[in-house]
Amino acid sequence: MKNIFLCFLLTCCCSITSLIAQEKITLKGVISEQKNNETLIGVSIIFPELNTGTTTNEYGFYSITVPKGTYKVIISYIGFATKMETLLLTNNTTKNFSLTDTLETLDEIVITENVERLNIKTPQMSVAKLTSGTIKEIPVVFGEADIIKAITLLPGVTNAGEGSSGFNVRGGSVDQNLILLDEATIYNSSHLFGFFSVFNPDAIKDLKLYKGGIPARYGGRVSSVLDIYQKDGNSKEFHANGGIGLISSRLLLEGPLKKDKGSFLLGGRSSYAHLFLPIFDIDNIAYFYDLNTKLSYKLDDRNNIYLSGYFGRDVFRLNETIDNTYGNTVLNFRWNHLLSDKLFSNVSLIYSDYYYGLKLGFVEFDWVSGIRNFNLKYDFKHYISNNFKLQYGLNSIYYKFNPGDIKPTTETSGINPFKLTDKFAFENAIYLEAEHKLSDKLSLSYGLRFSSFLRLGQDELNIYENDQAVVFNNDFKIYEKADPIGTESFNRSDIIADFFNVEPRLSLSYQLNSNSSIKGSYNRMSQYLHLLSNTNSPTPLDIWTPSGKYVKPQLLDQFAVGYFKNFKNNTYSLEVESFYKNVKNRIDYIDGADLIANNAIEQVILSGEAQAYGMELLFRKNEGKLKGWLAYTLSKSQQQTKGRTPSETGINDGNWYNTPYDKTHDISLTSSYNLNNKLKLNANFLFQTGQPTTFPNGQYVYNNITIPNYNDRNSDRLPTYNRLDVSVSYTPKPEKIKGWQTEWVFGIYNIYNRKNAASIAFGQNEETKLNEAYRLSIFGIVPSVSYNFKF
């Protein structure tokens, strides 16, 4: 391990010395939107004469080193007018640029050469990026723009069906996705059990989904990273925008704290359909609300500070019997500091919390559980030269897990107070990654992440014979809970278990010509947290648990190769990727596993292996009146849990079986057509292989009780899923760019009213006494209308 790390450092040092050959100057600055000073992420800064360029980071900062001289510089960003200036560069220079939205200019500069080809040259692959504008154009149920629903239209991304929480990437489970909002971890990404996402699209600046080739600065999950940044707020003048829908509304306010130096952003959403239920004599209640906040302030040319937060809650009440409240809370303080013209740093102090509360009136007790963490991050980006950049940093996270706390609500309930044992852990990491352009055709991105996980002491931990919390019953050929032979207690500073992992990352790009390239990537990742769920789609009651004495961390190895091509001056683009991933120590459950209020969860889980492989295709039309993309994924996702000894059968007789998120074929077609400057037509079509499930294949009678007999695990499937959604956006006064501006959006979800199966249950018809299958469908056709405004 040491030799690998030393070789990596030696390569970096050799590259640095070879690049310092002639006198050069550094041009640095920040690129922002002209009308509001909102910094822009991923803007291209191009020097055509030098055939070189760079892009802005997550805070709009750029730095590029060039020889002294006079050059044309091109600043290009999708959705904004391209800017071209001539600069005389004789000394290190700070130059900030402001870009104008294309909707606000008639004299847009169109550059067709050397501007948008960084996606071909860069080694970055398996990355999807969507703008807030694109997300808002996609028709969705109830007419509420939804980030999670939007990314499921991309190749390699699915979910468990209508009304399901979260998303699945390349055959991975929901808990294997790292979801970040302004660098803070979001543990539950859905409102109302999956009908809405927790992200307000009006507050979002930038979104990236990493499916593979994940940079070393990310860690802690083995499937994907969804990295979302909120807007900073308008530091020039006060503005507001919002929308009113059939069941929910939203409002966003932003303005200056001090003009051109500081800004605030405040956004809120709430659903209100429950207010109309009493009209129909319905006592049930289901609603959500959330709040996005951000304060930004520029101290000087080298220092910026940010304070951002999110608070969301869901409330579900069934008569007077069940009262359920759950949601996320995050708070993040960040300090950007420019140490030199070439060295950018960011310090983040982050708090994340997920709360779950349940009141059960019919049994008279309250249940509270959750997970809380405190996170310190210190990251650096070093612009050593145009051909070589370094990123490095450290990360330390302290976790507290509350598996459950039960309290009686009345003295006569018969329920005794019961507290499941709290769990504690420390996760630490350091990383180093490099972006290295070896030649005009070959570029590399490589790095190492060293992670550790310390399971800290807790009040009580079971001890088992041979350290096996699950035993195999040879008589019945089933797995059963092991009986503890004792317990042990620890101080909080004690270490119950520790894990250390080296995670190499490598991506490369070879440019075949000016319009096409081939790319490849490999990444190893570790995941120390596990979501315990025996449902296909996570529910708020699912519990996070840390790795420890009886639960090992998940370890991923993923390989990917791809071909990328632009056509007709980037009007069209094609991406084709193939991937293979293997995950060790994937949690599996014994038959009949009980996960709720289980203080010894290790008694119902086993360690297995998962694998997924497939091909993804994405064809885009980027320009013109008609825009959109066609995404197709052909894939396989399987899991296997073998017996630990030759006498054990394992799960599913030790054979591979389909994971609940295996979908062989997944096709989505998304389109947007500008009929004129007032009307825009949007549509998307989805077709997916049915979700794996297990059906009974027979039954037998024992003591007058009918008992079903089931096929192998997940050997059956629900019927094929497909639907077509359409919407129309109408802007009454498109030429109006100031004052009160409005837009109407009319949509129809599932326009041909297909009853897609969410599940299929089996039972006996009381009249005919014959067995029947019952299909549960959540949505048929759903019309919607929303009124959007801004001023």
Side-chain angles (χ1 to χ4, degrees):
M1 184 189 307
K2 291 182 179 178
N3 291 335
I4 294 174
F5 197 71
L6 289 173
C7 290
F8 178 74
L9 288 177
L10 183 60
T11 302
C12 294
C13 293
C14 292
S15 301
I16 294 170
T17 55
S18 64
L19 292 167
I20 304 175
Q22 65 183 80
E23 185 179 6
K24 297 183 178 182
I25 63 93
T26 298
L27 175 68
K28 72 177 190 304
V30 174
I31 300 180
S32 59
E33 191 172 350
Q34 187 176 53
K35 66 180 180 182
N36 54 23
N37 283 340
E38 186 78 45
T39 57
L40 300 174
I41 303 173
V43 179
S44 299
I45 302 97
I46 308 294
F47 284 77
E49 294 117 321
L50 300 175
N51 194 28
T52 189
T54 188
T55 57
T56 56
N57 69 4
E58 292 81 1
Y59 300 93
F61 175 80
Y62 76 93
S63 177
I64 186 169
T65 301
V66 296
K68 290 183 177 180
T70 301
Y71 305 102
K72 289 181 180 179
V73 60
I74 297 171
I75 314 298
S76 173
Y77 192 58
I78 296 175
F80 289 80
T82 299
K83 176 172 287 189
M84 181 164 50
E85 290 190 16
T86 300
L87 300 180
L88 173 61
L89 301 174
T90 57
N91 297 296
N92 290 342
T93 304
T94 298
K95 176 68 174 176
N96 299 326
F97 294 95
S98 296
L99 298 185
T100 304
D101 192 308
T102 53
L103 295 177
E104 299 182 10
T105 179
L106 299 177
D107 301 319
E108 178 185 357
I109 302 172
V110 179
I111 304 295
T112 59
E113 295 297 326
N114 301 316
V115 171
E116 302 231 342
R117 290 186 182 153
L118 289 180
N119 66 324
I120 294 296
K121 294 181 178 180
T122 179
Q124 189 177 74
M125 65 180 298
S126 306
V127 177
K129 181 176 180 180
L130 290 177
T131 65
S132 178
T134 300
I135 293 168
K136 291 177 181 179
E137 291 176 355
I138 297 174
V140 291
V141 67
F142 302 134
E144 178 77 17
D146 193 306
I147 287 177
I148 301 300
K149 296 297 188 293
I151 64 175
T152 60
L153 298 174
L154 299 170
V157 187
T158 62
N159 64 9
E162 291 175 328
S164 62
S165 301
F167 58 98
N168 308 102
V169 177
R170 289 184 169 176
S173 63
V174 170
D175 71 305
Q176 294 175 337
N177 303 315
L178 177 62
I179 303 175
L180 301 174
L181 179 64
D182 277 348
E183 302 183 1
T185 302
I186 299 293
Y187 289 99
N188 187 334
S189 62
S190 299
H191 280 311
L192 294 183
F193 307 101
F195 292 127
F196 300 91
S197 80
V198 300
F199 305 108
N200 183 345
D202 290 340
I204 301 306
K205 179 201 297 191
D206 186 77
L207 175 155
K208 280 186 180 179
L209 176 68
Y210 296 85
K211 300 179 293 182
I214 299 174
R217 60 185 178 272
Y218 299 109
R221 301 293 188 274
V222 296
S223 193
S224 75
V225 177
L226 179 59
D227 196 6
I228 301 173
Y229 280 87
Q230 295 188 113
K231 294 177 180 177
D232 297 332
N234 193 321
S235 65
K236 285 184 175 291
E237 55 188 10
F238 176 82
H239 280 279
N241 64 279
I244 301 173
L246 293 178
I247 66 170
S248 67
S249 292
R250 64 190 191 278
L251 179 66
L252 184 83
L253 308 175
E254 55 181 331
L257 294 172
K258 184 177 181 180
K259 190 170 183 180
D260 294 329
K261 288 186 70 71
S263 62
F264 73 88
L265 179 143
L266 180 64
R269 293 189 303 168
S270 179
S271 63
Y272 39 73
H274 65 286
L275 299 177
F276 304 102
L277 295 180
I279 299 175
F280 305 98
D281 293 326
I282 299 176
D283 296 330
N284 304 332
I285 288 177
Y287 65 91
F288 75 87
Y289 59 90
D290 57 31
L291 180 71
N292 295 79
T293 61
K294 192 167 186 178
L295 301 175
S296 307
Y297 199 83
K298 181 179 180 180
L299 299 175
D300 54 41
D301 289 340
R302 290 184 174 269
N303 294 277
N304 293 273
I305 56 174
Y306 306 87
L307 181 64
S308 58
Y310 169 86
F311 178 83
R313 284 293 183 266
D314 283 73
V315 177
F316 173 71
R317 191 172 301 140
L318 183 61
N319 298 321
E320 299 297 325
T321 58
I322 297 177
D323 195 338
N324 186 199
T325 302
Y326 61 92
N328 301 278
T329 303
V330 300
L331 184 67
N332 183 7
F333 173 78
R334 285 171 291 166
W335 171 38
N336 290 173
H337 178 56
L338 191 60
L339 295 168
S340 72
D341 290 344
K342 296 186 177 185
L343 184 55
F344 180 92
S345 70
N346 179 70
V347 180
S348 298
L349 299 174
I350 306 168
Y351 168 80
S352 294
D353 174 85
Y354 177 69
Y355 168 86
Y356 179 83
L358 179 65
K359 296 180 179 181
L360 298 177
F362 62 96
V363 290
E364 300 177 333
F365 77 79
D366 292 350
W367 163 288
V368 173
S369 65
I371 177 175
R372 180 178 301 168
N373 75 54
F374 300 89
N375 186 359
L376 169 65
K377 292 175 77 264
Y378 200 3
D379 302 294
F380 300 85
K381 185 161 187 179
H382 203 160
Y383 299 82
I384 294 172
S385 77
N386 298 339
N387 294 331
F388 192 79
K389 302 177 182 68
L390 283 179
Q391 292 193 62
Y392 44 88
L394 56 87
N395 187 16
S396 186
I397 309 174
Y398 174 76
Y399 295 99
K400 180 183 178 182
F401 302 83
N402 176 13
D405 188 1
I406 299 175
K407 295 179 180 179
T409 55
T410 66
E411 295 181 357
T412 60
S413 68
I415 302 293
N416 294 322
F418 180 62
K419 178 74 175 72
L420 276 67
T421 304
D422 287 341
K423 301 171 185 177
F424 306 87
F426 242 123
E427 182 176 355
N428 304 287
I430 57 173
Y431 72 90
L432 175 65
E433 64 181 59
E435 299 175 35
H436 194 172
K437 182 180 178 182
L438 295 177
S439 69
D440 289 339
K441 291 184 175 293
L442 181 61
S443 297
L444 299 178
S445 175
Y446 47 91
L448 281 176
R449 183 182 182 89
F450 179 74
S451 63
S452 68
F453 191 82
L454 308 178
R455 176 70 178 274
L456 303 179
Q458 62 189 57
D459 294 338
E460 189 176 83
L461 182 69
N462 288 336
I463 303 173
Y464 302 93
E465 186 176 353
N466 299 323
D467 283 341
Q468 289 195 350
V470 177
V471 295
F472 184 73
N473 187 320
N474 273 301
D475 294 330
F476 295 98
K477 300 298 180 182
I478 60 173
Y479 287 96
E480 299 176 333
K481 299 178 181 179
D483 294 323
I485 59 175
T487 61
E488 53 184 333
S489 298
F490 302 87
N491 295 320
R492 191 72 67 246
S493 58
D494 293 338
I495 297 177
I496 298 175
D498 54 34
F499 305 94
F500 303 91
N501 285 289
V502 175
E503 307 173 25
R505 317 287 173 88
L506 172 65
S507 299
L508 60 88
S509 170
Y510 183 79
Q511 194 170 355
L512 300 174
N513 53 50
S514 59
N515 289 308
S516 63
S517 66
I518 54 174
K519 300 183 183 184
S521 68
Y522 164 77
N523 58 276
R524 164 164 275 230
M525 302 185 75
S526 306
Q527 179 168 335
Y528 301 102
L529 307 187
H530 313 267
L531 184 65
L532 302 177
S533 174
N534 54 8
T535 61
N536 293 338
S537 173
T539 68
L541 189 55
D542 297 336
I543 302 299
W544 289 88
T545 192
S547 298
K549 185 175 181 179
Y550 304 112
V551 183
K552 297 179 181 179
Q554 300 177 65
L555 300 175
L556 163 84
D557 290 290
Q558 180 174 204
F559 302 86
V561 294
Y563 173 75
F564 303 81
K565 184 173 178 62
N566 288 332
F567 304 88
K568 294 187 176 180
N569 291 326
N570 305 307
T571 300
Y572 302 92
S573 62
L574 173 68
E575 303 175 21
V576 181
E577 294 190 31
S578 181
F579 67 91
Y580 172 81
K581 57 194 290 188
N582 178 271
V583 179
K584 300 185 184 302
N585 303 325
R586 177 63 185 156
I587 281 182
D588 208 341
Y589 306 98
I590 67 174
D591 291 332
D594 54 325
L595 304 180
I596 299 176
N598 190 338
N599 206 25
I601 202 70
E602 67 274 3
Q603 295 178 340
V604 296
I605 59 178
L606 292 170
S607 181
E609 180 181 2
Q611 68 175 11
Y613 50 89
M615 183 205 66
E616 300 169 354
L617 181 147
L618 179 63
F619 180 76
R620 286 180 180 268
K621 186 175 186 297
N622 304 307
E623 298 177 6
K625 283 193 170 185
L626 176 64
K627 298 179 183 178
W629 67 82
L630 170 67
Y632 172 67
T633 306
L634 173 66
S635 64
K636 189 70 176 175
S637 175
Q638 297 176 304
Q639 189 162 335
Q640 180 187 49
T641 304
K642 296 180 179 179
R644 296 166 297 185
T645 66
S647 63
E648 294 186 8
T649 60
I651 302 296
N652 198 52
D653 292 327
N655 298 318
W656 289 98
Y657 64 90
N658 296 325
T659 64
Y661 14 90
D662 171 61
K663 295 186 178 180
T664 308
H665 301 283
D666 181 9
I667 302 173
S668 61
L669 178 62
T670 304
S671 62
S672 174
Y673 183 76
N674 283 325
L675 194 63
N676 52 49
N677 60 352
K678 290 187 177 183
L679 287 173
K680 178 179 287 187
L681 310 179
N682 306 294
N684 55 261
F685 172 76
L686 281 80
F687 177 94
Q688 297 175 346
T689 301
Q691 186 176 323
T693 187
T694 307
F695 293 149
N697 59 2
Q699 65 183 32
Y700 59 93
V701 178
Y702 179 76
N703 288 339
N704 294 322
I705 299 175
T706 301
I707 301 173
N709 186 68
Y710 286 91
N711 286 328
D712 292 340
R713 186 176 289 194
N714 288 345
S715 59
D716 302 294
R717 288 187 182 272
L718 296 177
T720 297
Y721 180 97
N722 63 86
R723 73 169 199 268
L724 173 65
D725 312 325
V726 297
S727 70
V728 178
S729 301
Y730 172 66
T731 305
K733 297 180 179 180
E735 70 284 351
K736 191 175 182 180
I737 60 175
K738 290 186 178 181
W740 186 268
Q741 304 162 63
T742 63
E743 177 192 47
W744 288 92
V745 180
F746 305 90
I748 302 178
Y749 177 90
N750 193 3
I751 192 171
Y752 50 77
N753 197 30
R754 177 176 170 83
K755 304 295 185 181
N756 288 298
S759 65
I760 292 180
F762 293 84
Q764 190 177 66
N765 187 300
E766 294 183 359
E767 295 181 359
T768 64
K769 305 302 180 183
L770 298 176
N771 292 332
E772 293 181 344
Y774 302 90
R775 174 189 296 205
L776 171 64
S777 298
I778 297 179
F779 292 121
I781 184 171
V782 181
S784 65
V785 59
S786 58
Y787 174 74
N788 300 321
F789 60 88
K790 61 181 178 179
F791 59 88

